[in-house]
Amino acid sequence: MQSFRKELWFNVPARRAFINITPQVEDALAESGIREGLVLVNAMHISASVFINDDEPGLHHDYDVWLEKLAPHAPLSQYRHNDTGEDNADAHMKRQVMGREVVVAVTEGRLDFGPWEQIFYGEFDGMRRKRVLVKIIGE
Amino acid sequence: MQSFRKELWFNVPARRAFINITPQVEDALAESGIREGLVLVNAMHISASVFINDDEPGLHHDYDVWLEKLAPHAPLSQYRHNDTGEDNADAHMKRQVMGREVVVAVTEGRLDFGPWEQIFYGEFDGMRRKRVLVKIIGE
Amino acid sequence: MQSFRKELWFNVPARRAFINITPQVEDALAESGIREGLVLVNAMHISASVFINDDEPGLHHDYDVWLEKLAPHAPLSQYRHNDTGEDNADAHMKRQVMGREVVVAVTEGRLDFGPWEQIFYGEFDGMRRKRVLVKIIGE
């Protein structure tokens, strides 16, 4: 069994954004030389997500509106977490809806994807340096 | 390390449904001959889910009502994604709540489950052929 | 490839609670002797979650309030699942929002975590004995 590890770094210039990281994960897989196995891709921060969905800007707008309805950012005072001096309690909720991680099959050296699957980094508390972990195990 | 891959195909005759796929995943595991490892089961389409919960029809009805409340199908015009000619923006939301994938432990050649765990395919935009991927790694 | 399996048992004296299980998962990893691989940590019960987030009591309070808003416990009669004699339909919803499982990278014998990541058992239907599975594969 082989294993491979790589960090992807982000500094999103807005509070919220969705970034397609499929090319970076494909590069990590090529670098690893692994042909059969599993890739884990996870946010290393607890107010961000990694998820798989469609690379369609209208949908990303819809996600943003929908998540804000499910877990509004303001008023800040509605969340006890913000009493600690933070203003990101809503980001911890949004991240749970969208998920921390994805696990993707590796088959014949490629991400074993359906026709529209793309991997996204979901930032819900940006304007700071944050990381995603890519861990690959297999042969 | 061994690996095994199988696709399960579905053509659900309704927009939404929950289908117990535990027997098919157990068959794939038996076919693989793997005794210790991990199984990844994921929707290969971005408007469907794979999740683990109870095989109880009342609960599935409750999930359907609840998801429709969290992310209503209509009016279609509330979602920008539907401006592309699609009518399935809500399905992309519902799939995020229910999840894309599950990872299950394989122990002594069996799915290592608690007493009520069953694997479901959750369809949110049916009436077309769609796939689930089963990938097993181990020994 | 090596594999390791351990069950963690809980008997939460309330309907709902969040319990930091990171130390128990770290102990299991040390016991396994595995240095590179993946850890799967999953609830073995379908009305409980395993998730990764912040160990901050204000945030846990916020999660509890938020989940109760998204999927209220009462009135019991709003859920068909409760017609079976259960009173825990809401717990099956809350568990889907928070997730069944996490997969964590193992690097150099440690959980490969960002600065604030901690693993929690989320109980939504307590006052009974329930289990979490820790399965580790690697080398």
Side-chain angles (χ1 to χ4, degrees):
Chain A
M1 201 205 78
Q2 288 172 263
S3 69
F4 179 85
R5 177 193 196 277
K6 190 170 194 173
E7 290 179 3
L8 311 177
W9 284 83
F10 301 91
N11 195 341
V12 172
R15 182 174 292 278
R16 294 197 295 272
F18 299 118
I19 299 169
N20 189 335
I21 61 172
T22 316
Q24 289 97 311
V25 177
E26 287 172 337
D27 288 352
L29 180 55
E31 210 181 319
S32 76
I34 290 171
R35 305 272 309 161
E36 292 292 328
L38 296 176
V39 186
L40 167 69
V41 188
N42 70 265
M44 299 185 79
H45 298 260
I46 52 190
S47 52
S49 285
V50 170
F51 67 96
I52 287 175
N53 218 296
D54 197 2
D55 197 359
E56 200 281 293
L59 180 65
H60 297 179
H61 172 84
D62 295 335
Y63 275 141
D64 195 49
V65 169
W66 178 65
L67 291 167
E68 187 61 20
K69 198 173 68 178
L70 292 183
H73 177 68
L76 296 181
S77 61
Q78 74 192 291
Y79 300 112
R80 269 200 212 162
H81 181 59
N82 291 337
D83 295 347
T84 63
E86 296 281 358
D87 66 355
N88 64 5
D90 66 304
H92 293 273
M93 315 277 149
K94 287 164 173 141
R95 121 66 169 256
Q96 289 307 125
V97 176
M98 297 303 277
R100 166 187 180 260
E101 78 215 12
V102 296
V103 177
V104 181
V106 176
T107 302
E108 296 178 2
R110 304 188 63 172
L111 299 175
D112 198 336
F113 267 161
W116 300 102
E117 291 189 282
Q118 296 282 299
I119 309 174
F120 291 89
Y121 175 65
E123 177 62 85
F124 304 116
D125 183 32
M127 297 181 280
R128 61 185 83 180
R129 275 167 59 77
K130 292 165 84 169
R131 282 176 291 164
V132 161
L133 179 63
V134 181
K135 183 89 181 187
I136 312 174
I137 68 165
E139 274 181 347
Chain B
M1 200 203 80
Q2 289 172 261
S3 70
F4 179 86
R5 176 192 197 277
K6 190 170 194 173
E7 290 180 3
L8 311 177
W9 284 84
F10 302 90
N11 195 342
V12 172
R15 182 175 293 278
R16 293 197 296 272
F18 300 118
I19 298 169
N20 189 336
I21 60 173
T22 316
Q24 289 97 310
V25 177
E26 285 170 339
D27 288 351
L29 180 55
E31 210 181 318
S32 76
I34 291 172
R35 305 274 308 163
E36 292 291 329
L38 296 177
V39 186
L40 167 69
V41 188
N42 68 265
M44 297 185 80
H45 298 259
I46 52 190
S47 52
S49 284
V50 170
F51 66 96
I52 287 174
N53 218 294
D54 197 1
D55 197 358
E56 199 281 294
L59 180 65
H60 297 179
H61 172 84
D62 295 335
Y63 275 141
D64 194 48
V65 170
W66 179 65
L67 291 167
E68 188 61 20
K69 198 173 68 179
L70 292 183
H73 177 67
L76 296 182
S77 61
Q78 76 192 290
Y79 301 111
R80 270 200 213 163
H81 182 58
N82 291 338
D83 295 347
T84 64
E86 297 281 359
D87 64 355
N88 65 5
D90 65 304
H92 293 274
M93 317 275 149
K94 286 163 172 142
R95 119 69 167 253
Q96 288 306 125
V97 175
M98 297 303 277
R100 166 187 180 260
E101 78 213 14
V102 296
V103 178
V104 180
V106 176
T107 303
E108 296 178 2
R110 303 189 62 172
L111 299 176
D112 197 336
F113 268 161
W116 299 101
E117 291 189 284
Q118 296 283 300
I119 309 175
F120 291 89
Y121 175 65
E123 177 62 83
F124 305 117
D125 182 33
M127 296 180 281
R128 59 184 86 179
R129 276 168 59 77
K130 295 165 82 169
R131 284 175 291 164
V132 162
L133 179 63
V134 181
K135 182 91 182 187
I136 312 175
I137 68 166
E139 274 182 346
Chain C
M1 200 204 77
Q2 288 172 263
S3 69
F4 179 86
R5 178 193 196 277
K6 190 170 195 173
E7 290 181 3
L8 311 177
W9 284 84
F10 302 91
N11 195 341
V12 173
R15 183 174 292 278
R16 293 198 295 271
F18 299 117
I19 299 169
N20 189 336
I21 61 172
T22 316
Q24 290 96 311
V25 178
E26 285 170 338
D27 287 353
L29 179 56
E31 210 181 318
S32 76
I34 290 172
R35 306 272 308 161
E36 293 291 329
L38 296 176
V39 186
L40 167 69
V41 189
N42 69 265
M44 297 185 80
H45 299 260
I46 53 189
S47 53
S49 285
V50 170
F51 66 96
I52 287 176
N53 219 295
D54 197 2
D55 197 358
E56 200 280 296
L59 179 65
H60 297 180
H61 172 83
D62 295 335
Y63 275 141
D64 194 48
V65 170
W66 179 64
L67 291 167
E68 188 60 20
K69 199 173 68 178
L70 293 183
H73 177 68
L76 296 181
S77 61
Q78 76 192 289
Y79 302 111
R80 271 200 211 162
H81 181 59
N82 291 336
D83 294 347
T84 64
E86 297 281 358
D87 66 355
N88 65 5
D90 66 304
H92 293 273
M93 316 276 149
K94 287 163 172 142
R95 119 68 167 257
Q96 289 305 124
V97 176
M98 298 304 276
R100 167 187 179 259
E101 77 215 15
V102 296
V103 178
V104 181
V106 176
T107 303
E108 296 178 1
R110 305 189 63 172
L111 299 175
D112 196 336
F113 267 162
W116 299 101
E117 290 189 281
Q118 296 282 299
I119 308 175
F120 290 89
Y121 175 65
E123 178 62 84
F124 304 117
D125 183 32
M127 298 180 280
R128 60 185 84 180
R129 277 167 59 76
K130 293 165 84 169
R131 284 176 291 164
V132 162
L133 179 63
V134 181
K135 182 90 180 188
I136 313 174
I137 67 165
E139 276 183 347

